[in-house]
């Protein structure tokens, strides 16, 4: 294949055109969360093409879109005054912001764009007094997305626009919840020349001024569907590259966060394993102590059984001795009564003996003496038996 001569109208010349360079500038806020990444190349191209003297953004959040405008000012060396208006508190659509969102953006912004840009921390209505009428060439509206809020923002800031003014509306392709940007956009399209990007939640370009710069005027006057689709597709493809990189950066950050979590979990796991080992050793010690206590308890139960058996034996023996003691006591009482009877009989016999001695004429004295002697022997025998019973009672 022969060489093709390169003329000024060749494809390579078009690709190297300075007018297209902004489409390929690398964004400066990569890694920051935003729904605006797919429109960053268009923001670069628009600022470089219309060269606005004043840019105002209503609703800045993390500053991805605003930084795209400011970066184009820096790269093109423009004499442009930029202002970002936001409370940096959030709203019902964007959610509530932490103070860290504003602090991080402020640090980035002041070091890079502080010489020509201002972050205005206020509501949109409060900020109206800071800008003269007919002073804004490029206005980006991206605040609360209800129909009433968007229409109010446009109408209240409309007097601030110059005859060169272009207005951007984000999220014109979102029809969910109470988003009403799409409705406001459809109404404004009937009044002003416009161009609609459908990718990245939708971005509307409205040529409000009567002397809009040529690039914006031409974009908003295209009526050839094939050209409209071609422009949409090409800006979407270029923008998707940064959206993909943003998602990749998020994934890398997430992987890093997860890696830290894994490291932390591994450290926790190692700590728990070490703790588990300590618990296992402690459990073994407890089990050993428990085994010893079980053996001691078994020994104590055996000893207790032996003590109980001995106690029962002693109780039975004591009961038997008590019964024997009671029987002996009864026998003693019985013998004592018998002894008392013998003693009384003996005393009677003695009295009779005395009487007999006083009466010598009686012939049976010898018999009385024998009877008395017999009673005495019985009494002695009785005393001996009582003594024996008492001795056995004491031994029992």
């Amino acid at each position: 294949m022969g060489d093709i001569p390169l003329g000024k109208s060749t494809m390579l010349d078009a690709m190297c055109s300075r007018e297209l360079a902004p489409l390929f500038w690398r964004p400066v806020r990569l890694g920051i969360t935003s729904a605006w990444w797919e429109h960053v190349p268009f923001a670069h191209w628009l600022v470089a093409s219309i060269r606005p003297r004043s840019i105002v953004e209503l609703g800045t959040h993390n500053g991805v879109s605003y930084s795209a405008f400011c970066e184009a000012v820096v790269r093109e060396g423009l004499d442009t005054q930029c202002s970002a208006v936001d409370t940096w508190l959030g709203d019902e659509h964007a959610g509530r912001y932490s103070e860290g969102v504003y602090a991080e953006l402020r640090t980035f912004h002041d070091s890079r764009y502080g010489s020509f840009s201002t972050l205005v921390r206020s509501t949109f209505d409060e900020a109206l007094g800071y800008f003269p009428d007919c002073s804004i060439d490029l206005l980006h509206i991206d605040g609360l997305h209800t129909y009433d809020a968007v229409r109010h923002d446009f109408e209240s800031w409309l007097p601030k626009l110059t005859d060169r003014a272009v207005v951007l509306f984000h999220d014109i392709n979102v029809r969910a919840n109470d988003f009403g940007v799409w409705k406001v956009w459809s109404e404004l399209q009937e009044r002003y020349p416009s161009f609609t990007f459908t990718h990245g939640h939708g971005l509307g370009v409205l040529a409000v001024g009567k002397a809009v710069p040529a690039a914006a005027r031409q974009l908003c006057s295209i009526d050839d569907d094939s050209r409209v689709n071609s422009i949409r597709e090409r800006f979407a493809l270029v923008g998707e590259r940064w959206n993909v990189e943003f998602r990749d950066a998020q994934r890398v950050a997430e992987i890093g966060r997860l890696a830290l979590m894994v490291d932390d979990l591994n450290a926790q796991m190692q700590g728990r394993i070490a703790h588990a080992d300590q618990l296992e050793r402690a459990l073994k010690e407890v089990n050993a102590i428990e085994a010893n206590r079980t053996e001691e308890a078994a020994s104590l139960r055996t000893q207790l059984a032996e003590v109980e058996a001995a106690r029962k034996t002693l109780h039975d023996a004591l009961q038997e001795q008590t019964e024997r003691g009671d029987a002996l006591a009864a026998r003693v009482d019985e013998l004592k009564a018998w002894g008392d009877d013998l003693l009384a009989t003996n005393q009677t016999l003695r009295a009779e003996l005395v009487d007999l001695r006083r009466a010598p004429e009686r012939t049976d004295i010898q018999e009385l003496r024998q009877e008395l002697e017999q009673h005495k022997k019985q009494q002695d025998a009785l005393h001996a038996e009582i003594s024996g019973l008492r001795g056995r009672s004491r031994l029992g």
Side-chain angles (χ1 to χ4, degrees), residues 156-221:
S156 60
W157 284 83
L158 185 59
K160 306 298 179 181
L161 304 180
T162 68
D163 60 356
R164 303 176 69 248
V166 173
V167 181
L168 303 180
F169 294 84
H170 189 225
D171 290 324
I172 62 171
N173 203 28
V174 178
R175 290 172 171 80
N177 301 321
D178 58 348
F179 275 45
V181 189
W182 65 271
K183 187 175 181 181
V184 176
W185 178 247
S186 65
E187 294 172 356
L188 293 177
Q189 284 181 294
E190 301 297 324
R191 295 167 51 187
Y192 302 99
S194 64
F195 189 89
T196 300
F197 289 107
T198 56
H199 68 284
H201 307 290
L203 184 70
V205 184
L206 199 67
V208 175
K210 295 180 180 180
V212 171
R217 184 177 66 254
Q218 292 171 7
L219 176 69
C220 293
S221 62

Side-chain angles (χ1 to χ4, degrees), residues 98-366:
S98 69
E99 187 63 22
V101 172
Y102 175 74
E104 188 278 331
L105 176 61
R106 182 102 208 177
T107 300
F108 171 84
H109 167 274
D110 289 356
S111 63
R112 194 173 185 95
Y113 309 126
S115 61
F116 63 88
S117 172
T118 304
L119 301 183
V120 181
R121 195 166 192 181
S122 73
T123 65
F124 300 164
D125 286 351
E126 291 170 345
L128 283 168
Y130 303 150
F131 300 90
D133 289 350
C134 302
S135 64
I136 300 173
D137 287 343
L138 176 59
L139 177 67
H140 175 215
I141 298 177
D142 196 11
L144 184 63
H145 287 12
T146 63
Y147 172 84
D148 291 337
V150 177
R151 186 165 190 84
H152 172 78
D153 291 341
F154 176 74
E155 291 178 348
S156 60
W157 284 83
L158 185 59
K160 306 298 179 181
L161 304 180
T162 68
D163 60 356
R164 303 176 69 248
V166 173
V167 181
L168 303 180
F169 294 84
H170 189 225
D171 290 324
I172 62 171
N173 203 28
V174 178
R175 290 172 171 80
N177 301 321
D178 58 348
F179 275 45
V181 189
W182 65 271
K183 187 175 181 181
V184 176
W185 178 247
S186 65
E187 294 172 356
L188 293 177
Q189 284 181 294
E190 301 297 324
R191 295 167 51 187
Y192 302 99
S194 64
F195 189 89
T196 300
F197 289 107
T198 56
H199 68 284
H201 307 290
L203 184 70
V205 184
L206 199 67
V208 175
K210 295 180 180 180
V212 171
R217 184 177 66 254
Q218 292 171 7
L219 176 69
C220 293
S221 62
I222 298 175
D223 56 6
D224 184 328
D225 288 344
S226 62
R227 293 193 67 193
V228 169
N229 291 334
S230 178
I231 291 172
R232 285 176 176 170
E233 181 180 357
R234 293 180 183 186
F235 271 108
L237 287 173
V238 176
E240 176 62 16
R241 183 253 189 277
W242 302 121
N243 196 41
V244 169
E245 185 159 334
F246 160 67
R247 291 198 298 268
D248 288 344
Q250 278 192 318
R251 292 190 186 99
V252 170
E254 181 66 10
I255 290 171
R257 187 183 69 82
L258 292 175
L260 291 176
M261 288 180 61
V262 169
D263 291 342
D264 183 57
L265 290 174
N266 284 334
Q268 293 182 31
M269 185 180 300
Q270 293 302 319
R272 290 180 180 179
I273 290 174
H275 184 57
D277 291 340
Q278 292 178 350
L279 291 177
E280 186 175 1
R281 289 193 295 271
L283 181 60
K284 289 180 180 179
E285 293 176 359
V286 169
N287 288 337
I289 293 172
E290 184 65 22
N292 291 335
R293 289 182 177 176
T294 301
E295 293 177 1
E296 292 176 359
S299 176
L300 289 174
R301 283 194 292 270
T302 300
Q303 294 177 29
L304 182 60
E306 293 174 354
V307 170
E308 182 64 22
R311 188 194 66 79
K312 188 176 185 306
T313 300
L314 290 174
H315 179 270
D316 293 344
L318 180 60
Q319 185 68 26
E320 182 181 353
Q321 291 297 327
T322 300
E323 293 174 355
R324 287 178 60 190
D326 291 342
L328 290 174
R331 181 61 177 160
V332 167
D333 291 340
E334 181 183 348
L335 291 176
K336 184 177 179 183
W338 185 27
D340 290 342
D341 290 342
L342 288 178
L343 183 59
T345 302
N346 188 27
Q347 290 174 350
T348 301
L349 290 176
R350 285 179 183 275
E352 290 179 359
L353 181 59
V354 171
D355 290 340
L356 288 175
R357 283 177 178 173
R358 291 177 182 174
E361 66 278 5
R362 292 193 58 177
T363 60
D364 55 352
I365 293 174
Q366 186 63 34

